[in-house]
């Protein structure tokens, strides 16, 4: 049996108290004591108490008898705490058991207070009032924390959007100097995303790609791979024919120029925010990833790349991913110095570079994703004179 009752003196916003006892006389006594101040609901068994606690109006506080047949108060409390909807409802045990061990057991189970029978009206009202005030304070704080979390999340998303747009614009300035378009950035970024998705369960990469934030940083850093081109003279960068040996050496410096620009940016951040855990800060972690991409995407698996001649796993993972994405896009695209290659030749060149130019497992992931790469290439196709079919 569950009964809801109230009096005219109780306001609609009054707290709801659920009284649980298998003795009708006790329900009447405690109910009459509380009704001038609160909305009172009653239950005469543990099973009914669980139903009442989970139904509207939800109780703000439960006064729970311990000694009841079939399901005692201790078991009722265990079940209340096991359900998300009722886990946070404060419970005061009201019982004839007055032993210290009984009180300790009730408190260990999660009761907030312990009142012995026969109840003293003033004491019970004071305990109920105190616990309801604590609950209101907790609820208010929880509400404020929820609002604060939502605002922090909103601002983080806003900052991430501003950062991504700003960095994309910066990267586009470098690409435009090479008569490249923003679609190259979209394509290579999407290629990197495909490779990460393909490799996340690979034994060699599972640990490095386990954190979604690390993966996100690699994808977001991809457009900055050629930022160092801003430091290459136009006569070399835009030369329509083949570069001389000396000119190519200058062209190769764009990787180091880009890396150094990001190194300088990182040092400025560290100087301004000299915290010991700064290397794990999201913004700095992103710059470190971008540094790897810009400085090492022309390194080759066999050590024959530039600028440092790194080999194998010494090449940062983000750069190894970028190498596959960048070379594929370059082969598929028409430039002022070359025609676009047909897909069959592109795939053959990429396969030939497996284990030589490219990390063999990343190249294998590419070879298993050619259709996705082609779809991305077509979706973000350039339609100007520099792009082929």
């Amino acid at each position: 049996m569950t009964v809801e009752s109230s009096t005219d003196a109780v306001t609609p916003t009054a707290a709801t108290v659920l009284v649980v006892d298998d003795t009708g006389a006790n329900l009447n006594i405690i109910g009459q004591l509380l009704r001038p101040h609160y909305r009172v609901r009653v239950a005469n068994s543990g099973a009914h108490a669980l139903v009442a606690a989970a139904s509207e109006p939800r109780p703000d506080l439960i006064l729970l008898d311990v000694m009841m047949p079939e399901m005692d108060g201790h078991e009722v409390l265990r079940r209340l705490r096991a359900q998300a909807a009722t886990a946070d409802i404060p419970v005061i045990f009201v019982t004839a058991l007055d032993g210290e061990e009984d009180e300790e057991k009730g408190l260990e189970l999660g009761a907030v207070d312990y009142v012995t029978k026969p109840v003293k009206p003033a004491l019970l009202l004071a305990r109920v009032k105190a616990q309801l005030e604590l609950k209101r304070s907790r609820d208010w704080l929880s509400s404020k924390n929820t609002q604060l979390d939502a605002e922090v999340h909103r601002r983080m998303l806003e900052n991430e959007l501003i950062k991504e747009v700003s960095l994309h614009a910066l990267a586009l300035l470098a690409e435009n100097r090479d008569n490249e378009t923003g679609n190259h950035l979209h394509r290579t970024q999407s290629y990197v995303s495909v490779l990460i998705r393909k490799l996340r369960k690979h034994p060699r990469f599972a640990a490095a790609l386990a954190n979604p934030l690390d993966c996100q940083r690699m994808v977001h850093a991809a457009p900055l791979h050629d930022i160092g081109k801003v430091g290459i003279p136009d006569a070399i960068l835009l030369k329509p024919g083949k570069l001389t040996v000396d000119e190519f050496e200058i062209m190769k410096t764009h990787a180091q120029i880009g890396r150094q620009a990001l190194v300088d940016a990182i040092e400025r951040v560290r100087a301004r925010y000299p915290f010991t855990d700064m290397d794990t800060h999201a913004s700095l972690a992103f710059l470190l990833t971008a540094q790897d991409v810009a400085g090492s995407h022309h390194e080759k698996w066999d050590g024959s790349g530039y600028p440092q001649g790194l080999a194998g796993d010494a090449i940062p993972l983000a750069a190894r991913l970028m190498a596959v994405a960048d070379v594929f896009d370059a082969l598929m695209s028409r430039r002022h110095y070359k025609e676009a290659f047909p897909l069959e030749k592109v795939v053959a060149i990429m396969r030939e570079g497996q284990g030589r130019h490219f990390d063999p497992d990343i190249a294998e992931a590419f070879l298993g994703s050619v259709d996705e790469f082609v779809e991305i290439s077509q979706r973000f196709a350039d339609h100007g004179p520099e792009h082929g079919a």
Side-chain angles (χ1 to χ4, degrees):
M1 174 188 68
T2 60
V3 179
E4 180 177 334
S5 58
S6 62
T7 69
D8 293 338
V10 176
T11 65
T13 58
T16 299
V17 180
L18 173 63
V19 183
V20 185
D21 199 302
D22 65 310
T23 303
N26 290 333
L27 292 177
N28 289 332
I29 292 171
I30 297 176
Q32 290 300 324
L33 181 63
L34 297 176
R35 284 190 183 101
H37 312 284
Y38 309 108
R39 177 182 295 176
V40 177
R41 303 183 67 191
V42 298
N44 65 353
S45 71
H48 289 147
L50 295 175
V51 173
S55 60
E56 298 297 336
R58 296 290 181 89
D60 298 294
L61 177 69
I62 299 175
L63 300 180
L64 180 59
D65 185 25
V66 174
M67 297 180 65
M68 295 185 294
E70 298 181 5
M71 186 188 303
D72 66 13
H74 293 151
E75 180 60 24
V76 172
L77 182 54
R78 288 191 187 94
R79 298 194 185 191
L80 288 171
R81 293 292 177 259
Q83 299 297 321
T86 58
D88 294 332
I89 302 174
V91 173
I92 297 177
F93 276 130
V94 183
T95 178
L97 298 173
D98 59 358
E100 187 175 315
E101 291 184 2
D102 296 314
E103 183 174 351
E104 288 180 357
K105 181 177 181 179
L107 295 175
E108 287 175 359
L109 288 172
V112 297
D113 208 340
Y114 200 94
V115 176
T116 58
K117 297 176 183 178
V119 298
K120 298 177 181 178
L123 177 63
L124 181 63
L125 287 173
R127 298 284 182 86
V128 168
K129 180 180 179 182
Q131 292 302 329
L132 287 172
E133 287 178 349
L134 283 173
K135 184 178 186 300
R136 278 194 292 269
S137 297
R138 288 195 299 269
D139 290 346
W140 179 87
L141 184 59
S142 177
S143 175
K144 290 299 180 183
N145 284 339
T146 299
Q147 294 175 23
L148 180 60
D149 287 344
E151 179 63 15
V152 169
H153 182 66
R154 184 189 69 80
R155 294 196 179 191
M156 287 180 63
L157 290 178
E158 186 178 88
N159 289 340
E160 283 298 311
L161 178 61
I162 292 172
K163 181 181 76 175
E164 187 171 354
V165 170
S166 300
L167 291 173
H168 196 88
L170 182 63
L172 190 55
L173 287 175
E175 294 298 329
N176 282 341
R177 290 202 62 242
D178 193 22
N179 283 338
E180 185 60 275
T181 75
N183 282 348
H184 168 67
L185 304 181
H186 288 304
R187 290 192 298 269
T188 52
Q189 192 172 44
S190 298
Y191 299 150
V192 169
S193 183
V194 169
L195 292 172
I196 288 175
R197 176 165 48 81
K198 291 285 185 179
L199 293 166
R200 289 194 70 173
K201 295 184 179 180
H202 192 287
R204 277 188 61 213
F205 306 102
L209 301 178
N211 187 341
L213 291 178
D214 291 337
C215 298
Q216 186 182 65
R217 279 192 285 268
M218 293 183 194
V219 173
H220 286 177
L224 295 176
H225 64 284
D226 275 341
I227 192 174
K229 286 182 178 179
V230 296
I232 303 300
D234 286 350
I236 295 175
L237 191 66
L238 304 179
K239 184 176 180 179
K242 184 177 180 180
L243 299 179
T244 66
V245 173
D246 290 340
E247 289 171 337
F248 185 61
E249 288 302 311
I250 294 173
M251 174 65 83
K252 287 162 59 176
T253 63
H254 80 274
Q256 183 58 32
I257 292 171
R259 180 182 183 279
Q260 190 58 50
L262 289 161
V263 167
D264 293 343
I266 291 168
E267 291 308 311
R268 286 175 179 269
V269 172
R270 284 185 172 140
R272 187 171 180 180
Y273 304 102
F275 304 122
T276 56
D277 62 344
M278 198 60 201
D279 282 356
T280 62
H281 190 279
S283 297
L284 189 57
F286 171 78
L287 290 175
L288 289 167
T289 302
Q291 170 191 304
D292 289 340
V293 171
S296 302
H297 69 286
H298 283 295
E299 302 288 358
K300 296 183 179 181
W301 183 255
D302 63 5
S304 64
Y306 64 87
Q308 294 177 278
L310 301 177
D313 288 330
I315 306 169
L317 176 56
R320 282 178 271 151
L321 295 166
M322 190 67 229
V324 171
D326 196 35
V327 171
F328 173 80
D329 200 64
L331 294 173
M332 288 287 289
S333 301
R334 181 182 179 184
R335 297 291 178 260
H336 55 267
Y337 54 86
K338 63 172 281 294
E339 295 295 325
F341 292 163
L343 178 62
E344 293 77 8
K345 184 174 182 179
V346 170
V347 173
I349 293 173
M350 298 293 289
R351 182 178 285 109
E352 184 180 347
Q354 186 174 12
R356 298 169 58 187
H357 189 151
F358 310 119
D359 181 317
D361 291 322
I362 296 178
E364 190 64 32
F366 158 77
L367 292 172
S369 310
V370 172
D371 289 345
E372 289 184 71
F373 272 59
V374 171
E375 188 277 326
I376 291 168
S377 178
Q378 294 172 345
R379 189 192 334 152
F380 295 113
D382 294 320
H383 300 293
E386 297 301 323
H387 192 77

